[in-house]
Amino acid sequence: MTPLRRLCGLAVLAWTGLTASLACHADPQVLHYPATQAPAQPLEIHGALDSDLMAPLLADFQARHPEIELVYRNLTTLALYRRFMSADATSADVVMSSAMPWQYQLANRGYAQSLDTAEARAWPQASRWRRELFGITFEPVVIVYRRDAIASDASPDSHEALLRLLTEQRQRLTGRVVTYDPWRSGAGYTYATADSHMSPRYWELVAALGGVKAALADTTGDMLDGLIAGRYDIGYNLLGSYARDVVADHPQLEMVIPDDYALVMQRLALIPKRAPHPETARRFLDYLLSRQGQQAIRDKTPLGAVHPDLEGPETAHGLRRALGDAIHPIAIDPGLLATLDALKRHSLLERWQREYTRLSDNAP
Amino acid sequence: MNESATLPSLYRRLLVWLLVPMLLLGSLVLAQAYMASRDTADRAFDRLLEAASLAIAEQVKRQQGQLWMDLPPAALKMLASQAEERVFYALYDANGNFISGNAELPALDDTAADMRFADIEWHDMALRLGIRRSQLEGWRNRQPFEVRVAHTREGREALTQSLFQGSMLRLVAMALLAIGVVLLGIRMALMPLTRLRRAIRARDPRTLAPLDLALPRELAELRETLNDLLARMRRVRANQERFIGDASHQLRTPLAGLSARAELALRQDDPRAWHAALDVMRGSADKTARLASQLLSLTRLNNPEATPEAVAIDLCHTARQAVRDAWTQCHRDGIDLGVEVPAHPVMQQAVEWQLAEALANLLDNARRYGARRITVRVTEGPTRLEVEDDGPGIPESQRLLVLRPFHRGIEGGQGSGLGLAIVDGIARTHGARLSLAPTHPHAEPPGLCVRLQFSEEGTS
């Protein structure tokens, strides 16, 4: 049992990487919006989402509901999960996290209450599970590269093209590629699982990544930093919502959404059954699902909006129009539970490691 | 019309007795249909548990000295249908140790089959649990293990509902049809009754002829009963007609005698003859008046709708009074009239004037038919009223006949022939038994003892 337990611990640790890919905060950040209108109605939100990303959204909500006394705690996904499971800690009214399997696990276990509003009923089937778990953002997983290192005609705009590039320019790109470390990063592991389900050729890609001795990073932020600094030429599987703004600020970087298939991550929100203020919680989640809330997500944050009525390049609608069938949101279904299975995780990572080291072991 | 609407109706009774059991039966069938739907849904969804557990079991192997599995996500997706069930799985080794899974699912005791299913209540959730017993495939180490999978019941319930709704629609349609048939059937079955009613209503009210109508067996019995009643009524009417005929005849004879006597007297000039004739006529008129009053009594007794109410009376008093009333007459005829009563009152539910009438008739009869000694007697336990004489008595063959009106025991006697008929009528209205017996069976003349024995319940 000992190796297993260690494995589980590792899995839990790995998820902390997902909290916020740009910056990892050890201490929980707290945002507090006092009510400007009596009587004050308290609402406590726990999220694994950077405070500076949440702030405009919370401010918009508060402007619409000035009677709500709003507290936002930014926690790591691990702290969020632990806090949720511990009986004594004060419970949150809304829990939001990018750790999709864990959120699914909580809802599956029956810890979430259902939201029965018009918005919830109209929410796209693919972005919800029952009426308990809602995907409120739409964030593609992307490839970022430096314009100065990669010719525009060799742009890695698909997994196929990336594999070809890595194979053909193996010597030149050695040490110049970066991707998630699936052992240490929960997001990296989730993407690896999804990638491997998309096609068995993923393992060729892993082997090719191993062939160029690709660097393994913990967060999208680390990868972007390395790309800006010129340490890397290509980054594979970055979270598009974070990359978009950075790429816009740095003209030497180019972001592509793979056009053969693009994984899409969704942040999942739920209302715990033991939420102390379910009424305000429902109002907040309903706001997140509403056109106004989604508009705020589209316009004031880099997170993509899901609402089917909203247009724009960053919305689910826009991405689907641009890429069609290539858009592959990570399904909110029991398959996510398999991701959490310790043995499964171990099997997959072992395979990954085997493939990753295949070419380098045979290297002359 | 209003009254008939509130009366219990045969139609309604049939309707209730047919429809209520049908409704009960329908509910039973519905309940059964629900169970069957649930069963079918369970069986269909149990196949999913079976397939998922098999898919998982196939991925179980031995690695690093312990059980290992590469969980196929498809196995878990399989467990969730459109209804988005909550899904649980776990791998246990042969000793029941938890190896991996997202929930610690309970074991099932029954170890007979490879695949077992059970409905369980788990952390406030109703789950359907499927447990597969399997073992590692291998040359040497065939280690057994258990794959436990479970999901919530939403999908099963949805399927149950849709199956049940289908059968419910069919059942409701059948029930409506059945109700229609029952309504029609009852109407058809009750048709002969309507025919019978019409036949009776259409009859001439004066005719008592038997009904002649083809009817089903049950109603044919009713028709026969009705015909029996009609036959009895015909006999009663014949009796009445004869009685009226007899009565008219009885009244006409003395009146004709009166008329003839008066005519004879008018032809004579002698006032003494007139006097003698008047004397005879008075006697004859008295007799006729008595006859008329007796006829009246008999008619009153035979009228079932004018039964006076019985009250508790003292029989001793009635007997003494009757003797007192008849005493003068008897004394004149030299008859020894006596009364034998207990010292204390003997109470009996009765109509006093009727008993007095009966006693008067009996005393009159005894006197007229030549008794020398008459005794009125009241006895207790059982309560009896007797009039005993030492006259010629009535031969046994005549005893029943004398109870009929206008029958005289002895031809050419002085009585009207109504006395004993009246006594018989009174005995019947009092529920008492009338018996005629000789006073001294072996003596000559044997005498007559007329006895009224009251039934026990009227005694007090």
Side-chain angles (χ1 to χ4, degrees):
Chain A
M1 275 289 124
T2 335
L4 257 178
R5 192 155 297 149
R6 205 171 58 228
L7 214 83
C8 297
L10 206 68
V12 163
L13 268 175
W15 286 105
T16 61
L18 258 178
T19 313
S21 306
L22 283 173
C24 188
H25 304 279
D27 299 316
Q29 293 179 340
V30 178
L31 295 179
H32 187 220
Y33 295 82
T36 55
Q37 189 178 309
Q41 296 174 23
L43 170 65
E44 178 151 344
I45 302 164
H46 291 185
L49 192 65
D50 278 0
S51 298
D52 48 345
L53 285 180
M54 272 309 279
L57 210 55
L58 298 176
D60 186 58
F61 175 68
Q62 235 253 334
R64 291 171 197 278
H65 299 277
E67 75 281 6
I68 287 179
E69 172 108 28
L70 206 156
V71 173
Y72 175 72
R73 265 176 224 286
N74 181 20
L75 302 159
T76 65
T77 47
L78 172 68
L80 198 71
Y81 188 74
R82 283 207 176 138
R83 225 184 148 104
F84 194 102
M85 297 305 284
S86 70
D88 46 311
T90 49
S91 189
D93 296 319
V94 177
V95 175
M96 296 188 294
S97 173
S98 53
M100 294 175 69
W102 282 16
Q103 289 286 83
Y104 188 85
Q105 165 83 324
L106 291 179
N108 184 61
R109 190 61 187 70
Y111 292 141
Q113 51 176 284
S114 82
L115 176 75
D116 202 15
T117 63
E119 305 285 3
R121 279 191 291 274
W123 203 241
Q125 178 66 45
S127 291
R128 68 177 162 93
W129 183 73
R130 293 172 162 240
R131 295 204 177 112
E132 299 174 10
L133 196 58
F134 296 92
I136 51 166
T137 63
F138 204 78
E139 304 168 53
V141 176
V142 301
I143 297 169
V144 175
Y145 65 91
R146 289 184 68 90
R147 290 174 197 274
D148 48 7
I150 308 294
S152 59
D153 59 336
S155 160
D157 51 6
S158 69
H159 291 81
E160 180 85 49
L162 179 65
L163 175 60
R164 203 182 319 118
L165 191 67
L166 292 180
T167 317
E168 286 169 1
Q169 307 190 26
R170 184 176 167 189
Q171 295 294 334
R172 191 172 72 77
L173 289 174
T174 297
R176 304 291 297 165
V177 179
V178 68
T179 188
Y180 265 119
D181 182 348
W183 285 87
R184 289 160 49 93
S185 157
Y189 170 65
T190 308
Y191 303 156
T193 314
D195 274 331
S196 70
H197 285 144
M198 288 308 299
S199 161
R201 291 195 67 198
Y202 171 66
W203 298 115
E204 289 178 36
L205 184 59
V206 174
L209 285 168
V212 299
K213 294 196 166 45
L216 301 179
D218 286 358
T219 66
T220 293
D222 291 350
M223 290 192 261
L224 285 172
D225 287 347
L227 283 162
I228 293 166
R231 285 201 303 279
Y232 311 122
D233 290 338
I234 301 176
Y236 170 64
N237 271 4
L238 284 79
L239 195 52
S241 51
Y242 290 114
R244 188 189 309 277
D245 283 0
V246 175
V247 169
D249 291 344
H250 297 84
Q252 72 271 32
L253 297 185
E254 175 73 38
M255 183 183 97
V256 285
I257 301 171
D259 62 9
D260 46 0
Y261 72 88
L263 295 178
V264 175
M265 194 270 284
Q266 296 190 287
R267 296 185 197 258
L268 302 181
L270 62 86
I271 303 173
K273 268 215 174 113
R274 48 179 187 155
H277 316 109
E279 180 45 42
T280 45
R282 278 194 281 275
R283 230 183 292 166
F284 180 69
L285 189 50
D286 198 42
Y287 160 77
L288 285 182
L289 302 182
S290 71
R291 201 190 156 94
Q292 296 85 1
Q294 288 285 310
Q295 219 153 5
I297 286 177
R298 182 187 66 179
D299 299 338
K300 297 178 182 170
T301 74
L303 315 166
V306 187
H307 202 290
D309 291 351
L310 291 179
E311 305 271 351
E314 294 168 33
T315 61
H317 197 268
L319 278 173
R320 283 219 168 84
R321 180 177 295 172
L323 292 161
D325 287 345
I327 288 294
H328 273 271
I330 295 171
I332 307 172
D333 69 12
L336 287 174
L337 293 174
T339 323
L340 283 181
D341 187 82
L343 297 177
K344 168 83 183 168
R345 178 183 162 81
H346 193 83
S347 304
L348 187 104
L349 289 178
E350 274 197 336
R351 172 93 194 265
W352 197 91
Q353 194 62 32
R354 229 171 28 246
E355 300 288 350
Y356 185 74
T357 52
R358 184 154 60 104
L359 288 177
S360 42
D361 288 347
N362 301 342
Chain B
M1 200 65 205
N2 272 342
E3 193 189 0
S4 70
T6 56
L7 283 176
S9 135
L10 201 59
Y11 181 73
R12 210 176 307 158
R13 176 184 291 213
L14 272 171
L15 214 62
V16 165
W17 276 100
L18 284 171
L19 289 186
V20 168
M22 227 169 77
L23 229 67
L24 289 177
L25 202 72
S27 319
L28 261 175
V29 170
L30 269 184
Q32 195 273 336
Y34 182 78
M35 304 289 260
S37 308
R38 199 181 146 98
D39 217 47
T40 309
D42 262 349
R43 243 175 305 152
F45 275 76
D46 281 350
R47 301 286 300 168
L48 294 180
L49 290 178
E50 223 174 316
S53 66
L54 183 65
I56 293 173
E58 275 176 352
Q59 295 297 324
V60 176
K61 53 186 183 284
R62 196 171 173 78
Q63 193 169 316
Q64 296 171 358
Q66 62 181 32
L67 282 175
W68 198 268
M69 97 178 138
D70 185 4
L71 179 69
L76 298 184
K77 290 182 190 180
M78 213 185 284
L79 290 175
S81 68
Q82 292 255 297
E84 302 183 306
E85 289 98 334
R86 303 175 199 280
V87 168
F88 303 95
Y89 74 97
L91 174 64
Y92 282 82
D93 71 10
N95 302 322
N97 294 319
F98 178 80
I99 305 295
S100 185
N102 72 336
E104 299 204 2
L105 295 169
L108 292 178
D109 292 333
D110 158 45
T111 53
D114 279 354
M115 189 75 209
R116 283 155 290 145
F117 302 100
D119 290 310
I120 58 166
E121 191 68 27
W122 188 79
H123 291 271
D124 297 336
M125 281 184 262
L127 296 186
R128 181 72 167 175
L129 173 68
I131 295 187
R132 176 181 291 277
R133 276 194 153 261
S134 188
Q135 55 185 20
L136 289 177
E137 297 294 323
W139 288 344
R140 199 177 292 273
N141 195 341
R142 293 175 159 270
Q143 189 181 348
F145 61 88
E146 270 190 5
V147 175
R148 302 181 187 167
V149 287
H151 62 181
T152 44
R153 303 196 54 100
E154 292 89 351
R156 291 162 189 266
E157 271 152 22
L159 182 57
T160 304
Q161 281 307 317
S162 76
L163 289 175
F164 178 59
Q165 267 161 24
S167 32
M168 200 165 67
L169 277 178
R170 281 196 297 278
L171 271 170
V172 166
M174 266 165 64
L176 287 178
L177 209 69
I179 287 171
V181 168
V182 162
L183 289 179
L184 200 72
I186 293 176
R187 230 168 252 284
M188 296 300 287
L190 290 183
M191 206 99 107
L193 209 57
T194 316
R195 236 167 53 219
L196 180 63
R197 192 189 62 216
R198 287 204 185 119
I200 292 175
R201 188 166 285 172
R203 280 166 69 90
D204 180 353
R206 278 164 304 181
T207 177
L208 290 175
L211 269 174
D212 188 19
L213 189 65
L215 288 170
R217 201 174 58 229
E218 294 81 357
L219 286 179
E221 280 167 21
L222 182 63
R223 183 193 57 200
E224 291 316 312
T225 316
L226 207 60
N227 283 343
D228 281 352
L229 180 68
L230 286 171
R232 263 181 286 148
M233 280 171 69
R234 278 199 303 277
R235 279 200 298 277
V236 166
R237 197 153 81 174
N239 275 340
Q240 279 175 348
E241 278 164 1
R242 202 192 62 223
F243 178 79
I244 291 168
D246 286 353
S248 326
H249 183 73
Q250 291 294 329
L251 284 172
R252 200 183 55 193
T253 310
L255 288 176
L258 271 177
S259 177
R261 188 71 204 187
E263 203 168 327
L264 196 65
L266 284 173
R267 283 199 203 136
Q268 291 178 343
D269 296 329
D270 185 1
R272 269 182 311 170
W274 292 347
H275 189 271
L278 279 175
D279 206 30
V280 172
M281 280 168 70
R282 190 192 63 189
S284 193
D286 279 353
K287 230 168 81 181
T288 312
R290 196 164 153 293
L291 177 67
S293 85
Q294 276 184 324
L295 278 172
L296 195 62
S297 305
L298 201 58
T299 314
R300 276 203 289 183
L301 280 173
N302 284 343
N303 184 358
E305 286 175 9
T307 314
E309 203 175 333
V311 292
I313 57 161
D314 180 9
L315 289 183
C316 303
H317 176 261
T318 311
R320 277 193 216 102
Q321 187 61 44
V323 167
R324 212 172 289 143
D325 289 347
W327 201 81
T328 318
Q329 189 85 42
C330 287
H331 185 69
R332 198 191 302 151
D333 295 354
I335 295 168
D336 176 11
L337 178 61
V339 63
E340 270 180 47
V341 294
H344 55 270
V346 176
M347 302 308 285
Q348 170 70 37
Q349 292 288 328
V351 182
E352 186 156 21
W353 70 260
Q354 287 189 355
L355 286 189
E357 174 86 16
L359 283 176
N361 272 296
L362 289 173
L363 289 173
D364 192 50
N365 266 4
R367 191 173 58 77
R368 280 178 201 278
Y369 288 95
R372 306 307 315 157
R373 182 188 174 84
I374 306 172
T375 311
V376 178
R377 190 180 294 125
V378 176
T379 63
E380 280 181 290
T383 308
R384 285 176 185 157
L385 194 59
E386 289 177 357
V387 176
E388 192 184 280
D389 67 55
D390 59 352
I394 300 170
E396 193 159 1
S397 57
Q398 295 280 314
R399 278 181 203 150
L400 273 175
L401 291 174
V402 294
L403 298 180
R404 288 175 60 169
F406 308 115
H407 182 96
R408 287 192 198 88
I410 296 164
E411 284 305 319
Q414 300 175 295
S416 62
L418 286 175
L420 280 172
I422 291 169
V423 173
D424 185 42
I426 290 170
R428 259 187 283 123
T429 55
H430 282 79
R433 198 151 58 84
L434 177 71
S435 58
L436 307 173
T439 316
H440 310 290
H442 306 297
E444 189 56 45
L448 182 68
C449 175
V450 181
R451 177 182 296 164
L452 271 166
Q453 180 168 333
F454 293 94
S455 61
E456 291 300 320
E457 62 257 32
T459 313
S460 57

